[in-house]
Amino acid sequence: KMLVKLEESEGSGRVRLADFYGSALHAGQWQFSESVGYLRDLGALDESESSNLRVIIPNYLNAPSNCMEPSAYYGVCCIDECEEVLGYVEREVKAPTATPKEIANIFINVPSASLAAGRKLSATSLRRLEELGDHHQGHIPIHGRLFAQWL
């Protein structure tokens, strides 16, 4: 949840690299100290603007560095709050793909511990959802990597 508080703009899913490291230096968030190279290898570094590197929140959260392996038989990872939301989307869509409008309408009432029902998606989230739809000829695969990043 700390990363969402540091989010560059509401719904962007990204944190400026300076803010990411700043939280480690100034706020005692020791877990935010991975190197740029490591973040790049995880696929968690947005380098689309070389003067404004950003950490992609969902890619960072789902990284192996957020898991512990107390034994050779199992690992324990942070709870992915998006799984519950994805389950709701799956039950509503009942198909492997959906249009951006269908997905946006579902999110009005999606149950979530961190968001109130009856909300509207931000303009940034809607724009990114439309871009995702354009990338997939109007039908977004709900189990795809890009949708997971948007989520």
Side-chain angles (χ1 to χ4, degrees), residues 1 80-86 88 91 106-119 151:
K1 301 219 185 255
D80 181 359
E81 294 180 20
C82 293
E83 285 296 322
E84 181 180 340
V85 175
L86 179 59
Y88 182 81
R91 287 187 297 279
I106 289 169
F107 270 82
I108 292 171
N109 292 311
V110 69
S112 169
S114 58
L115 298 170
R119 65 194 162 276
L151 191 58

Side-chain angles (χ1 to χ4, degrees), residues 11-12 14 89 93 97-108 120-142 144 146-151:
S12 73
R14 285 154 173 72
V89 171
V93 171
T97 64
T99 66
K101 184 173 182 165
E102 290 170 326
I103 292 171
N105 287 335
I106 289 169
F107 270 82
I108 292 171
K120 292 184 180 181
L121 292 174
S122 69
T124 301
S125 290
L126 284 172
R127 180 178 48 79
R128 288 207 170 127
L129 189 60
E130 288 293 334
E131 289 171 359
L132 188 53
D134 292 344
H135 181 74
H136 290 289
Q137 293 76 44
H139 283 78
I140 301 167
I142 63 172
L146 295 176
F147 182 67
Q149 287 178 338
W150 177 85
L151 191 58

Side-chain angles (χ1 to χ4, degrees), residues 8 15-18 46-55:
E8 181 178 47
V15 174
R16 288 181 47 246
L17 192 62
D46 178 353
E47 299 180 271
S48 59
E49 295 177 43
S50 60
S51 62
N52 186 27
L53 300 180
R54 298 172 294 179
V55 175

Side-chain angles (χ1 to χ4, degrees), residues 67-77:
C67 298
M68 298 181 310
E69 294 187 17
S71 83
Y73 301 106
Y74 68 93
V76 179
C77 298

Side-chain angles (χ1 to χ4, degrees), residues 26-42:
H26 308 296
Q29 300 296 322
W30 57 268
Q31 68 267 38
F32 303 144
S33 58
E34 291 83 355
S35 70
V36 169
Y38 182 73
L39 293 170
R40 183 179 295 119
D41 290 345
L42 288 176

